[in-house]
Amino acid sequence: MQNTRSRLEKRLALLLAATPPLAARHTAGHTKVDLVYLDEETQDRLNSSPRE
Amino acid sequence: MTNVLKISSHDELISSIPHTLGFTPVSSMVCLALGDGPTARLDIPESPEEIGEFLQALTDVYLHRHHPDRVALVAYGEDGRACVQALAALGEALVNSEVRGPDVGPMLWVNGEEWTDVLEGTHGTVDPGARTRIDAEFALMGRVMPVGRREDLAAAMQGDPTAVAEHLPAAEARALDMDVAARRSEVGWLGARLDQFRRDREYLSDGDAARVLAVLHDSSARDAAVLSMSREDAPVFSEFWQDLVRRAPREVRDSPATMLALSSFLEGKGAQAWTALDQLSESDPLADLVVAALEQAVDPREWDRAVPAAAGALMQQAALRDTVAQERRAHDQDARNAPGVNGAGPESSAPGR
């Protein structure tokens, strides 16, 4: 059974469309990059890592 | 900020990566953003053609969509030549771009337990003590230990649907018979059940699992489930939806898989979100939104802000409709109560109505 897009989903789609920076739109590709958004504590830990 | 432990060596940085990704990368480029922005993982390109897509995908993330202060690049693989070429090409693309990019460093090639700092020309072997220390720190933070490989994420979504399948026909028949009021009540039940899971983490009985799967076809039920999630509690809901994906019969597995993709995205776990999307048998509007969010590297905190806004806008629309309807009813009532033209009573029909 195929679900149709609800009003909430339509609204989210509009908001999503407004989210990416304009300059980046032409580069949107289909490569599946695994992105990880860290919580604040883990990001703080990572920020401390040395360059060398 | 309390008890923030520092990463003080390449050994500790390398040891932390499986915890960050949720699995141990193989033949991969891992980009760790410092300051702001996501960590990214992508396969090491195997041909000159793939290098273009590889660079485009990662520069899109770190030059256009996010702006970290520094990016550490870690290439995993046995093929040192391919890893170093990928490191060099990506480092150059980030540093020598037309727009201001992040600083880059360190740049590490990791082969098993051996690492090479490509910029500094130093080498080393990951200290088992550093790995143990990092494992222990993540365990103390209450984190789940990473799975062995990325492919294991998909294996963890497979289960036995037999028990739920026995309850499904009755649950679907019940859902089909519902009138509007009953359906609204069922959506309320779903919301309450999700709230309960958030509190007690008790998985659904087979009967309730079938009931959830039957009602999820309803867009208002899915909306309620979407609205129940935030970035903060997404890990709990990922447990809920992953359990349902494991137990759902094939014909109703797409809906919980879509919800798992959304909760995984909100958690910030891109690989798990892609893996959940790979479970779908056909396209789905909500799944398409999650794909767009992943492809556009949308920060889940943005989604978190968008959902209440979207819900608020819908509620405003609903309130506006209610107001208009009330005004119309009041107007109609006034018209009926008013003396009619030429003494016509309220029963007379006015032109144009």
Short mmCIF file of all heavy atoms in Angstrom, two decimals, chain B residues 260-323:
data_model
loop_
_atom_site.label_atom_id
_atom_site.label_comp_id
_atom_site.label_asym_id
_atom_site.label_seq_id
_atom_site.Cartn_x
_atom_site.Cartn_y
_atom_site.Cartn_z
N LEU B 260 12.28 4.32 11.04
CA LEU B 260 13.64 4.08 11.55
C LEU B 260 14.65 4.97 10.81
O LEU B 260 15.58 5.50 11.42
CB LEU B 260 14.01 2.61 11.38
CG LEU B 260 15.44 2.23 11.77
CD1 LEU B 260 15.74 2.57 13.23
CD2 LEU B 260 15.70 0.73 11.52
N ALA B 261 14.43 5.14 9.51
CA ALA B 261 15.33 6.03 8.75
C ALA B 261 15.26 7.44 9.32
O ALA B 261 16.29 8.11 9.50
CB ALA B 261 14.94 6.02 7.28
N LEU B 262 14.04 7.89 9.63
CA LEU B 262 13.89 9.24 10.18
C LEU B 262 14.53 9.36 11.56
O LEU B 262 15.27 10.31 11.83
CB LEU B 262 12.40 9.61 10.25
CG LEU B 262 12.09 10.97 10.88
CD1 LEU B 262 12.75 12.10 10.11
CD2 LEU B 262 10.58 11.19 10.96
N SER B 263 14.27 8.39 12.43
CA SER B 263 14.84 8.48 13.78
C SER B 263 16.37 8.38 13.72
O SER B 263 17.07 9.06 14.47
CB SER B 263 14.26 7.40 14.70
OG SER B 263 14.58 6.11 14.23
N SER B 264 16.89 7.56 12.81
CA SER B 264 18.35 7.44 12.66
C SER B 264 18.95 8.75 12.17
O SER B 264 20.00 9.19 12.64
CB SER B 264 18.69 6.32 11.68
OG SER B 264 18.16 5.09 12.10
N PHE B 265 18.27 9.37 11.20
CA PHE B 265 18.72 10.69 10.73
C PHE B 265 18.73 11.69 11.88
O PHE B 265 19.69 12.45 12.07
CB PHE B 265 17.81 11.17 9.60
CG PHE B 265 17.90 12.65 9.38
CD1 PHE B 265 19.04 13.23 8.85
CD2 PHE B 265 16.85 13.49 9.75
CE1 PHE B 265 19.14 14.61 8.68
CE2 PHE B 265 16.94 14.85 9.58
CZ PHE B 265 18.09 15.41 9.05
N LEU B 266 17.65 11.68 12.67
CA LEU B 266 17.58 12.63 13.80
C LEU B 266 18.67 12.36 14.82
O LEU B 266 19.19 13.27 15.45
CB LEU B 266 16.20 12.56 14.46
CG LEU B 266 15.07 13.20 13.67
CD1 LEU B 266 13.73 12.94 14.35
CD2 LEU B 266 15.29 14.69 13.52
N GLU B 267 19.01 11.08 15.00
CA GLU B 267 20.11 10.73 15.90
C GLU B 267 21.44 11.25 15.38
O GLU B 267 22.40 11.36 16.13
CB GLU B 267 20.24 9.20 15.99
CG GLU B 267 19.42 8.51 17.00
CD GLU B 267 19.93 7.08 17.16
OE1 GLU B 267 20.95 6.87 17.83
OE2 GLU B 267 19.30 6.18 16.59
N GLY B 268 21.50 11.47 14.08
CA GLY B 268 22.76 11.86 13.46
C GLY B 268 23.53 10.68 12.94
O GLY B 268 24.72 10.79 12.66
N LYS B 269 22.86 9.52 12.79
CA LYS B 269 23.53 8.31 12.32
C LYS B 269 23.19 8.06 10.85
O LYS B 269 22.22 7.35 10.52
CB LYS B 269 23.10 7.11 13.17
CG LYS B 269 23.61 7.19 14.60
CD LYS B 269 23.23 5.94 15.35
CE LYS B 269 23.87 5.91 16.73
NZ LYS B 269 23.45 4.72 17.49
N GLY B 270 24.00 8.65 9.99
CA GLY B 270 23.70 8.59 8.56
C GLY B 270 23.73 7.18 7.99
O GLY B 270 22.87 6.81 7.19
N ALA B 271 24.72 6.38 8.39
CA ALA B 271 24.83 5.02 7.82
C ALA B 271 23.61 4.19 8.18
O ALA B 271 23.08 3.44 7.35
CB ALA B 271 26.10 4.36 8.32
N GLN B 272 23.14 4.33 9.42
CA GLN B 272 21.96 3.57 9.84
C GLN B 272 20.72 4.06 9.09
O GLN B 272 19.85 3.25 8.74
CB GLN B 272 21.77 3.72 11.34
CG GLN B 272 20.61 2.89 11.89
CD GLN B 272 20.61 2.84 13.40
OE1 GLN B 272 21.39 2.12 14.01
NE2 GLN B 272 19.73 3.62 14.01
N ALA B 273 20.64 5.36 8.85
CA ALA B 273 19.50 5.90 8.10
C ALA B 273 19.50 5.37 6.67
O ALA B 273 18.46 4.92 6.16
CB ALA B 273 19.55 7.43 8.09
N TRP B 274 20.67 5.38 6.00
CA TRP B 274 20.74 4.83 4.64
C TRP B 274 20.38 3.36 4.64
O TRP B 274 19.69 2.86 3.74
CB TRP B 274 22.15 5.01 4.06
CG TRP B 274 22.50 6.38 3.58
CD1 TRP B 274 23.55 7.16 4.00
CD2 TRP B 274 21.83 7.15 2.56
NE1 TRP B 274 23.57 8.35 3.33
CE2 TRP B 274 22.53 8.38 2.44
CE3 TRP B 274 20.72 6.92 1.76
CZ2 TRP B 274 22.15 9.37 1.54
CZ3 TRP B 274 20.33 7.91 0.86
CH2 TRP B 274 21.05 9.11 0.76
N THR B 275 20.86 2.63 5.65
CA THR B 275 20.59 1.19 5.70
C THR B 275 19.10 0.94 5.89
O THR B 275 18.54 0.01 5.27
CB THR B 275 21.40 0.55 6.84
OG1 THR B 275 22.78 0.86 6.66
CG2 THR B 275 21.22 -0.96 6.86
N ALA B 276 18.44 1.74 6.72
CA ALA B 276 17.00 1.59 6.89
C ALA B 276 16.27 1.89 5.58
O ALA B 276 15.33 1.17 5.20
CB ALA B 276 16.50 2.53 8.00
N LEU B 277 16.72 2.91 4.86
CA LEU B 277 16.09 3.24 3.57
C LEU B 277 16.30 2.12 2.56
O LEU B 277 15.45 1.88 1.70
CB LEU B 277 16.67 4.56 3.03
CG LEU B 277 16.26 5.80 3.82
CD1 LEU B 277 17.13 7.00 3.44
CD2 LEU B 277 14.78 6.13 3.58
N ASP B 278 17.42 1.43 2.67
CA ASP B 278 17.68 0.30 1.76
C ASP B 278 16.70 -0.85 1.98
O ASP B 278 16.60 -1.75 1.15
CB ASP B 278 19.12 -0.22 1.96
CG ASP B 278 20.15 0.74 1.39
OD1 ASP B 278 19.78 1.61 0.58
OD2 ASP B 278 21.34 0.63 1.77
N GLN B 279 16.01 -0.85 3.12
CA GLN B 279 15.05 -1.93 3.41
C GLN B 279 13.73 -1.74 2.67
O GLN B 279 12.93 -2.67 2.58
CB GLN B 279 14.73 -1.98 4.92
CG GLN B 279 15.93 -2.03 5.85
CD GLN B 279 16.78 -3.25 5.63
OE1 GLN B 279 16.26 -4.37 5.62
NE2 GLN B 279 18.07 -3.06 5.43
N LEU B 280 13.48 -0.53 2.14
CA LEU B 280 12.17 -0.24 1.54
C LEU B 280 11.97 -1.01 0.24
O LEU B 280 12.89 -1.14 -0.56
CB LEU B 280 12.03 1.26 1.26
CG LEU B 280 12.05 2.19 2.47
CD1 LEU B 280 11.81 3.63 2.03
CD2 LEU B 280 11.02 1.78 3.48
N SER B 281 10.73 -1.45 0.05
CA SER B 281 10.42 -2.18 -1.18
C SER B 281 9.87 -1.24 -2.26
O SER B 281 9.84 -1.59 -3.42
CB SER B 281 9.40 -3.28 -0.89
OG SER B 281 8.20 -2.73 -0.39
N GLU B 282 9.37 -0.08 -1.85
CA GLU B 282 8.88 0.90 -2.83
C GLU B 282 9.04 2.30 -2.26
O GLU B 282 9.34 2.47 -1.07
CB GLU B 282 7.43 0.64 -3.21
CG GLU B 282 6.46 0.66 -2.04
CD GLU B 282 5.04 0.28 -2.48
OE1 GLU B 282 4.89 -0.61 -3.34
OE2 GLU B 282 4.10 0.88 -1.96
N SER B 283 8.85 3.31 -3.13
CA SER B 283 9.09 4.68 -2.69
C SER B 283 8.02 5.11 -1.69
O SER B 283 6.90 4.58 -1.67
CB SER B 283 9.10 5.63 -3.88
OG SER B 283 7.82 5.70 -4.45
N ASP B 284 8.39 6.07 -0.88
CA ASP B 284 7.50 6.55 0.18
C ASP B 284 7.77 8.04 0.35
O ASP B 284 8.94 8.46 0.37
CB ASP B 284 7.81 5.80 1.48
CG ASP B 284 6.99 6.30 2.64
OD1 ASP B 284 7.35 7.34 3.23
OD2 ASP B 284 5.98 5.64 2.96
N PRO B 285 6.73 8.86 0.47
CA PRO B 285 6.96 10.31 0.55
C PRO B 285 7.83 10.73 1.73
O PRO B 285 8.70 11.60 1.59
CB PRO B 285 5.54 10.89 0.70
CG PRO B 285 4.62 9.82 0.30
CD PRO B 285 5.31 8.51 0.48
N LEU B 286 7.59 10.13 2.89
CA LEU B 286 8.40 10.50 4.05
C LEU B 286 9.84 10.03 3.88
O LEU B 286 10.79 10.74 4.22
CB LEU B 286 7.79 9.91 5.34
CG LEU B 286 8.51 10.23 6.64
CD1 LEU B 286 8.63 11.74 6.86
CD2 LEU B 286 7.80 9.58 7.82
N ALA B 287 9.99 8.84 3.31
CA ALA B 287 11.34 8.33 3.04
C ALA B 287 12.07 9.25 2.07
O ALA B 287 13.27 9.50 2.22
CB ALA B 287 11.27 6.91 2.49
N ASP B 288 11.34 9.77 1.08
CA ASP B 288 11.96 10.70 0.12
C ASP B 288 12.47 11.95 0.83
O ASP B 288 13.51 12.51 0.46
CB ASP B 288 10.95 11.10 -0.96
CG ASP B 288 10.61 9.94 -1.90
OD1 ASP B 288 11.34 8.93 -1.88
OD2 ASP B 288 9.61 10.05 -2.62
N LEU B 289 11.73 12.38 1.85
CA LEU B 289 12.18 13.55 2.61
C LEU B 289 13.47 13.24 3.37
O LEU B 289 14.38 14.07 3.45
CB LEU B 289 11.10 13.97 3.62
CG LEU B 289 9.87 14.68 3.07
CD1 LEU B 289 8.89 14.96 4.19
CD2 LEU B 289 10.26 15.96 2.38
N VAL B 290 13.53 12.04 3.93
CA VAL B 290 14.75 11.66 4.67
C VAL B 290 15.93 11.56 3.70
O VAL B 290 17.04 12.02 4.00
CB VAL B 290 14.55 10.32 5.42
CG1 VAL B 290 15.82 9.93 6.16
CG2 VAL B 290 13.40 10.43 6.42
N VAL B 291 15.69 10.99 2.51
CA VAL B 291 16.75 10.93 1.50
C VAL B 291 17.25 12.33 1.17
O VAL B 291 18.46 12.59 1.11
CB VAL B 291 16.25 10.22 0.21
CG1 VAL B 291 17.24 10.39 -0.93
CG2 VAL B 291 16.02 8.74 0.48
N ALA B 292 16.30 13.24 0.97
CA ALA B 292 16.69 14.62 0.64
C ALA B 292 17.51 15.23 1.77
O ALA B 292 18.52 15.91 1.53
CB ALA B 292 15.45 15.46 0.36
N ALA B 293 17.10 14.99 3.00
CA ALA B 293 17.82 15.54 4.15
C ALA B 293 19.23 14.96 4.22
O ALA B 293 20.20 15.69 4.52
CB ALA B 293 17.06 15.23 5.44
N LEU B 294 19.36 13.67 3.93
CA LEU B 294 20.69 13.04 3.97
C LEU B 294 21.56 13.57 2.83
O LEU B 294 22.74 13.88 3.02
CB LEU B 294 20.56 11.52 3.88
CG LEU B 294 19.93 10.83 5.08
CD1 LEU B 294 19.61 9.37 4.76
CD2 LEU B 294 20.84 10.89 6.30
N GLU B 295 20.97 13.64 1.64
CA GLU B 295 21.76 14.08 0.48
C GLU B 295 22.16 15.54 0.60
O GLU B 295 23.23 15.94 0.13
CB GLU B 295 20.95 13.87 -0.82
CG GLU B 295 20.86 12.40 -1.22
CD GLU B 295 20.16 12.22 -2.55
OE1 GLU B 295 19.43 13.14 -2.97
OE2 GLU B 295 20.36 11.15 -3.16
N GLN B 296 21.32 16.33 1.23
CA GLN B 296 21.61 17.76 1.36
C GLN B 296 22.37 18.07 2.64
O GLN B 296 22.58 19.22 2.98
CB GLN B 296 20.31 18.56 1.30
CG GLN B 296 19.62 18.46 -0.05
CD GLN B 296 18.25 19.12 -0.06
OE1 GLN B 296 18.01 20.04 0.70
NE2 GLN B 296 17.37 18.63 -0.90
N ALA B 297 22.79 17.00 3.34
CA ALA B 297 23.57 17.15 4.57
C ALA B 297 22.91 18.11 5.55
O ALA B 297 23.55 18.97 6.15
CB ALA B 297 25.00 17.61 4.25
N VAL B 298 21.59 17.95 5.68
CA VAL B 298 20.85 18.80 6.61
C VAL B 298 21.18 18.39 8.04
O VAL B 298 21.14 17.21 8.39
CB VAL B 298 19.33 18.67 6.37
CG1 VAL B 298 18.53 19.41 7.45
CG2 VAL B 298 18.97 19.19 4.99
N ASP B 299 21.53 19.36 8.85
CA ASP B 299 21.80 19.09 10.26
C ASP B 299 20.48 18.69 10.92
O ASP B 299 19.49 19.40 10.79
CB ASP B 299 22.36 20.37 10.91
CG ASP B 299 22.87 20.12 12.31
OD1 ASP B 299 22.23 19.35 13.06
OD2 ASP B 299 23.91 20.70 12.66
N PRO B 300 20.44 17.56 11.64
CA PRO B 300 19.17 17.14 12.25
C PRO B 300 18.60 18.16 13.21
O PRO B 300 17.39 18.16 13.46
CB PRO B 300 19.53 15.84 12.98
CG PRO B 300 20.99 15.72 12.94
CD PRO B 300 21.50 16.58 11.84
N ARG B 301 19.43 19.05 13.72
CA ARG B 301 18.88 20.10 14.58
C ARG B 301 17.96 21.02 13.78
O ARG B 301 17.01 21.59 14.32
CB ARG B 301 20.01 20.90 15.22
CG ARG B 301 20.70 20.14 16.34
CD ARG B 301 21.93 20.84 16.81
NE ARG B 301 22.95 20.90 15.76
CZ ARG B 301 24.21 21.26 15.97
NH1 ARG B 301 24.61 21.61 17.17
NH2 ARG B 301 25.08 21.27 14.97
N GLU B 302 18.23 21.15 12.47
CA GLU B 302 17.35 21.95 11.61
C GLU B 302 15.98 21.28 11.50
O GLU B 302 14.95 21.95 11.53
CB GLU B 302 17.96 22.11 10.21
CG GLU B 302 19.21 22.94 10.16
CD GLU B 302 18.93 24.38 10.55
OE1 GLU B 302 17.84 24.88 10.23
OE2 GLU B 302 19.79 24.98 11.21
N TRP B 303 16.01 19.97 11.32
CA TRP B 303 14.75 19.22 11.24
C TRP B 303 13.98 19.37 12.55
O TRP B 303 12.77 19.57 12.57
CB TRP B 303 15.05 17.75 10.97
CG TRP B 303 13.84 16.90 10.75
CD1 TRP B 303 12.98 16.44 11.70
CD2 TRP B 303 13.35 16.41 9.50
NE1 TRP B 303 11.99 15.69 11.12
CE2 TRP B 303 12.20 15.65 9.78
CE3 TRP B 303 13.79 16.54 8.18
CZ2 TRP B 303 11.47 15.02 8.77
CZ3 TRP B 303 13.05 15.89 7.19
CH2 TRP B 303 11.92 15.15 7.48
N ASP B 304 14.71 19.30 13.64
CA ASP B 304 14.11 19.47 14.96
C ASP B 304 13.36 20.79 15.06
O ASP B 304 12.31 20.88 15.66
CB ASP B 304 15.24 19.46 16.01
CG ASP B 304 15.04 18.36 17.04
OD1 ASP B 304 14.14 17.53 16.85
OD2 ASP B 304 15.78 18.34 18.03
N ARG B 305 13.96 21.83 14.46
CA ARG B 305 13.31 23.13 14.49
C ARG B 305 12.15 23.19 13.51
O ARG B 305 11.17 23.89 13.73
CB ARG B 305 14.32 24.24 14.16
CG ARG B 305 15.25 24.55 15.33
CD ARG B 305 16.06 25.80 15.04
NE ARG B 305 17.20 25.54 14.19
CZ ARG B 305 18.41 25.23 14.63
NH1 ARG B 305 18.63 25.12 15.92
NH2 ARG B 305 19.40 25.01 13.80
N ALA B 306 12.28 22.44 12.40
CA ALA B 306 11.26 22.52 11.35
C ALA B 306 9.97 21.82 11.77
O ALA B 306 8.89 22.28 11.41
CB ALA B 306 11.77 21.89 10.06
N VAL B 307 10.07 20.73 12.51
CA VAL B 307 8.86 19.96 12.83
C VAL B 307 7.88 20.77 13.67
O VAL B 307 6.71 20.88 13.31
CB VAL B 307 9.22 18.62 13.49
CG1 VAL B 307 7.97 17.97 14.08
CG2 VAL B 307 9.83 17.70 12.45
N PRO B 308 8.33 21.38 14.79
CA PRO B 308 7.35 22.20 15.52
C PRO B 308 6.82 23.34 14.67
O PRO B 308 5.64 23.68 14.77
CB PRO B 308 8.17 22.73 16.71
CG PRO B 308 9.31 21.79 16.85
CD PRO B 308 9.62 21.33 15.46
N ALA B 309 7.67 23.93 13.83
CA ALA B 309 7.21 25.02 12.97
C ALA B 309 6.15 24.51 12.02
O ALA B 309 5.12 25.16 11.80
CB ALA B 309 8.39 25.61 12.20
N ALA B 310 6.42 23.33 11.44
CA ALA B 310 5.45 22.75 10.52
C ALA B 310 4.16 22.41 11.24
O ALA B 310 3.06 22.69 10.76
CB ALA B 310 6.04 21.50 9.87
N ALA B 311 4.32 21.81 12.41
CA ALA B 311 3.13 21.45 13.18
C ALA B 311 2.38 22.71 13.59
O ALA B 311 1.14 22.77 13.52
CB ALA B 311 3.53 20.65 14.41
N GLY B 312 3.14 23.74 13.98
CA GLY B 312 2.51 25.00 14.38
C GLY B 312 1.74 25.62 13.23
O GLY B 312 0.62 26.11 13.40
N ALA B 313 2.35 25.58 12.03
CA ALA B 313 1.69 26.16 10.86
C ALA B 313 0.40 25.40 10.56
O ALA B 313 -0.62 26.01 10.23
CB ALA B 313 2.63 26.12 9.66
N LEU B 314 0.49 24.08 10.68
CA LEU B 314 -0.72 23.28 10.42
C LEU B 314 -1.81 23.60 11.44
O LEU B 314 -2.98 23.68 11.11
CB LEU B 314 -0.38 21.79 10.47
CG LEU B 314 0.41 21.27 9.28
CD1 LEU B 314 0.73 19.80 9.47
CD2 LEU B 314 -0.37 21.46 7.99
N MET B 315 -1.38 23.76 12.70
CA MET B 315 -2.35 24.06 13.74
C MET B 315 -2.97 25.44 13.50
O MET B 315 -4.16 25.65 13.72
CB MET B 315 -1.71 23.97 15.12
CG MET B 315 -1.56 22.52 15.58
SD MET B 315 -1.02 22.34 17.26
CE MET B 315 0.73 22.56 17.09
N GLN B 316 -2.10 26.39 13.04
CA GLN B 316 -2.63 27.72 12.73
C GLN B 316 -3.66 27.63 11.61
O GLN B 316 -4.71 28.26 11.66
CB GLN B 316 -1.49 28.65 12.30
CG GLN B 316 -0.72 29.21 13.48
CD GLN B 316 0.40 30.12 13.02
OE1 GLN B 316 0.68 30.23 11.83
NE2 GLN B 316 1.06 30.75 13.97
N GLN B 317 -3.31 26.81 10.59
CA GLN B 317 -4.25 26.64 9.48
C GLN B 317 -5.56 26.05 9.99
O GLN B 317 -6.65 26.47 9.62
CB GLN B 317 -3.67 25.72 8.42
CG GLN B 317 -2.61 26.38 7.56
CD GLN B 317 -2.02 25.41 6.55
OE1 GLN B 317 -2.46 24.27 6.45
NE2 GLN B 317 -1.01 25.86 5.83
N ALA B 318 -5.41 25.04 10.86
CA ALA B 318 -6.61 24.38 11.40
C ALA B 318 -7.43 25.38 12.22
O ALA B 318 -8.66 25.42 12.12
CB ALA B 318 -6.20 23.19 12.25
N ALA B 319 -6.71 26.19 13.03
CA ALA B 319 -7.41 27.18 13.86
C ALA B 319 -8.12 28.20 12.98
O ALA B 319 -9.25 28.60 13.25
CB ALA B 319 -6.42 27.88 14.79
N LEU B 320 -7.43 28.59 11.89
CA LEU B 320 -8.01 29.56 10.96
C LEU B 320 -9.27 28.97 10.33
O LEU B 320 -10.30 29.64 10.22
CB LEU B 320 -6.98 29.91 9.88
CG LEU B 320 -7.34 31.05 8.95
CD1 LEU B 320 -7.48 32.34 9.73
CD2 LEU B 320 -6.28 31.22 7.87
N ARG B 321 -9.16 27.70 9.94
CA ARG B 321 -10.34 27.05 9.34
C ARG B 321 -11.49 27.03 10.35
O ARG B 321 -12.63 27.27 10.01
CB ARG B 321 -9.98 25.63 8.90
CG ARG B 321 -9.34 25.55 7.53
CD ARG B 321 -9.41 24.12 7.00
NE ARG B 321 -8.82 23.18 7.92
CZ ARG B 321 -7.52 22.92 7.96
NH1 ARG B 321 -6.70 23.52 7.14
NH2 ARG B 321 -7.05 22.04 8.82
N ASP B 322 -11.14 26.72 11.63
CA ASP B 322 -12.17 26.67 12.66
C ASP B 322 -12.82 28.04 12.83
O ASP B 322 -14.03 28.16 12.94
CB ASP B 322 -11.56 26.24 14.00
CG ASP B 322 -11.35 24.74 14.05
OD1 ASP B 322 -11.83 24.07 13.11
OD2 ASP B 322 -10.71 24.26 14.99
N THR B 323 -11.96 29.09 12.82
CA THR B 323 -12.48 30.46 13.00
C THR B 323 -13.41 30.82 11.86
O THR B 323 -14.50 31.34 12.06
CB THR B 323 -11.30 31.46 13.04
OG1 THR B 323 -10.40 31.04 14.07
CG2 THR B 323 -11.80 32.86 13.33
#
